[in-house]
C-alpha cells in the first residue's frame, strides 16, 4: 500500500460569519496517497475551493484536523509546510516586473533561507520544474505579457520547484485550451508515477477527470464527499446524482453530459461496420432532440449510410419523404425540418 501523505480526519470546512459557523462540508475522512492523482469534482459552490484551502492550511477547519505526511498540519511551521505541500490557485497573481523564471525561482524560497540566493542545485531544480510544466519557453518572458494559460503553467512550475510531497491545484485547467488541459493532466499523472508526488486537483472537466484520475473525490449535494475509482462512481450512479440536473444528464455510456433535450421523437440508426460514423451520426440526431432506439417498432426518423469513394452517403427517411446527403450537416438540416412527434401524432 502506498503511504498516505495527506489525511483529513473528521474534517468540517466552512466559514465563521458574525461568529456563527457556516459549514460547507462535514465529516470528511479521506486520505491522499503518494503517487496518486486525485480529482475533486462537484457542482459550483459545493465547497471544492473551501476544502482545498483548508487542506492547504490557508483557512482553519471548523472541526477535525489535517495530517501532512503523518504530522498535524496545524503544528508545522510555514517553511516545513511549504517543503511538503505546494498549492496552485486560480486567483490572479499580482505581478510586478518579473520574468517567468523569477516566479518559478520563488518556489525555492522554503530551501534558500532568508537570503533567497539560489545555489547551482536550486537552479537545476528550477529548470527541471520549467521543463516538467512545459514552460521552458516562458522563462525569459515578462509575466504581465503572458496569457492566463501561460501564467498558469508557470504557477505549476513554481509549485513543482518547491519539491513537495503533495501538490494541491484548484482548477488548474480553467484557463487552458482542450489540448493543454489534457497535456497538463497527463503530466501531473505521469509526475505522480515517476516521483511519487501526490496530486489533488479540483476541476470542472468531468470527462478529463474520469479518464485520468486514479481516484475521484466527489462532493455530493448535502455537503459530504465520497471517494472512489472514477468508473465505480459512474456505475454506481453517484456521478449522475451529483451532476444530473433538470436540463442536463450524465450519459454513463458516453462518459459525458448531454442537454436533456425535449424529445422530438425516436430515431433508428441502421448503418453498420463503421463505428466512428455511427457514433457521430447518433450524436447529430441526439443534438436535434431525437432519442435513438434501433429496435423501436415506430420511429419518426431512420438514418442509414454507406461508404463512397470520397466519404459517406447518408439516407434519411422521415414522414416527409426520403432524401440522401453527403454530410451530416445535410442530415441535420432535413431532420430539423421534420415536425416533432406531437405534430405527427394522429396522422
Ligand atoms: N469567504 C467566504 N465567506 C462565507 N462563505 C463563503 C466564502 N467563500 C465561499 N463561501 C461559500 O462557501 C460555499 C462553497 O464555496 P466554494 O468556493 O468552496 O465552492 P466551489 O465548489 O469551489 O465552487 P466553484 O465550483 O464555483 O468554484 C459557497 O456557498 C460560497 O458561497
Amino acid at each position: 500500500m502506498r503511504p498516505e501523505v495527506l489525511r483529513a480526519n473528521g474534517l468540517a470546512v466552512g466559514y465563521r460569519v458574525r461568529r456563527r459557523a457556516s459549514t460547507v462540508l462535514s465529516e470528511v475522512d479521506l486520505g491522499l496517497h503518494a503517487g496518486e492523482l486525485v480529482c475533486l469534482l462537484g457542482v459550483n459552490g459545493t465547497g471544492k475551493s473551501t476544502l482545498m484551502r483548508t487542506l492547504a492550511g490557508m483557512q482553519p477547519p471548523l472541526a477535525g484536523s489535517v495530517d501532512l505526511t503523518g504530522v498535524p498540519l496545524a503544528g508545522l511551521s510555514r517553511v516545513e509546510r511549504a517543503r511538503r505541500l505546494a498549492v496552485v490557485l486560480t486567483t490572479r497573481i499580482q505581478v510586478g516586473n518579473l520574468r517567468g523564471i523569477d516566479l518559478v525561482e520563488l518556489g525555492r524560497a522554503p530551501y534558500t533561507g532568508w537570503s533567497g540566493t539560489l545555489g547551482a542545485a536550486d537552479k537545476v531544480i528550477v529548470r527541471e520544474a520549467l521543463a516538467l510544466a512545459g514552460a521552458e519557453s516562458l522563462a525569459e518572458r515578462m509575466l504581465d505579457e503572458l496569457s492566463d494559460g501561460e501564467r498558469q503553467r508557470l504557477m505549476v512550475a513554481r509549485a513543482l520547484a518547491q519539491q513537495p510531497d503533495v501538490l494541491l491545484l484548484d482548477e488548474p485547467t480553467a484557463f487552458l485550451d482542450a489540448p493543454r488541459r489534457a497535456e497538463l493532466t497527463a503530466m501531473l499523472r505521469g509526475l505522480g508515477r515517476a516521483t511519487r508526488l501526490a496530486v489533488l486537483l479540483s476541476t470542472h472537466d468531468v470527462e478529463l477527470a474520469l479518464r485520468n484520475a486514479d481516484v475521484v473525490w466527489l462532493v455530493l449535494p448535502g455537503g459530504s464527499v465520497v471517494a472512489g475509482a472514477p468508473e465505480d462512481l459512474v456505475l454506481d450512479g453517484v456521478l449522475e446524482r451529483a451532476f444530473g440536473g433538470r436540463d442536463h444528464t450524465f450519459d454513463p455510456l458516453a462518459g459525458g453530459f448531454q442537454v436533456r433535450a425535449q424529445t422530438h421523437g425516436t430515431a433508428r440508426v441502421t448503418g453498420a461496420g463503421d463505428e466512428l460514423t455511427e457514433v457521430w451520426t447518433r450524436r447529430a440526431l441526439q443534438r436535434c432532440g431525437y432519442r435513438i432506439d434501433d429496435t423501436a417498432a415506430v420511429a419518426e426518423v431512420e438514418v442509414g449510410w454507406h461508404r463512397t469513394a470520397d466519404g459517406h452517403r447518408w439516407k434519411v427517411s422521415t414522414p416527409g419523404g426520403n432524401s440522401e446527403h453527403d454530410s451530416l450537416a445535410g442530415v441535420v438540416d432535413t431532420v430539423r425540418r421534420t415536425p416533432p412527434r406531437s405534430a405527427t401524432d394522429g396522422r
Side-chain angles (χ1 to χ4, degrees), residues 13-17 22-25 40-53 59 90 170-171 202-204 219:
V13 305
Y15 301 89
R16 290 194 188 278
V17 183
S22 162
T23 304
V24 175
L25 297 171
L40 175 61
L41 298 177
V43 297
N44 282 137
T46 43
K48 300 179 297 297
S49 298
T50 309
L51 178 60
M52 282 285 192
R53 283 196 298 266
Q59 72 179 73
T90 35
D170 197 7
E171 290 188 48
S202 73
T203 177
H204 287 292
V219 182

Side-chain angles (χ1 to χ4, degrees), residues 46 57 70 75 122 144 146 216 276 278:
T46 43
D122 294 307
D144 53 8
L146 298 179
V216 165
L276 197 59
E278 183 173 338

Side-chain angles (χ1 to χ4, degrees), residues 190-341:
L191 208 59
R193 308 243 155 105
T195 66
R196 302 184 61 69
L197 174 72
V199 180
L200 172 64
L201 74 85
S202 73
T203 177
H204 287 292
D205 195 331
V206 175
E207 297 179 40
L208 199 67
L210 293 180
R211 288 198 185 277
N212 290 285
D214 296 307
V215 175
V216 165
W217 291 3
L218 180 63
V219 182
L220 299 178
S224 59
V225 188
V226 293
E231 299 80 10
D232 286 333
L233 295 177
V234 172
L235 290 176
D236 293 348
V238 189
L239 207 88
E240 165 63 20
R241 282 206 292 287
F243 282 104
R246 201 167 49 92
D247 302 324
H248 64 272
T249 177
F250 180 78
D251 177 351
L253 270 182
F257 292 92
Q258 275 182 18
V259 172
R260 223 188 271 277
Q262 200 188 357
T263 306
H264 284 287
T266 303
R268 261 197 310 256
V269 176
T270 55
D274 178 349
E275 204 180 338
L276 197 59
T277 310
E278 183 173 338
V279 166
W280 288 96
T281 303
R282 286 172 188 274
R283 281 179 66 144
L285 292 168
Q286 284 168 336
R287 181 160 64 85
C288 296
Y290 281 83
R291 191 174 64 85
I292 313 290
D293 182 352
D294 298 341
T295 58
V298 181
E300 284 72 23
V301 170
E302 185 162 333
V303 179
W305 73 85
H306 61 268
R307 271 190 179 280
T308 61
D310 51 0
H312 294 87
R313 193 151 181 83
W314 284 266
K315 285 187 178 177
V316 180
S317 301
T318 70
N322 300 333
S323 56
E324 295 205 10
H325 309 274
D326 293 328
S327 69
L328 280 169
V331 174
V332 166
D333 193 41
T334 302
V335 167
R336 284 233 165 104
R337 278 189 272 113
T338 301
R341 174 176 270 174

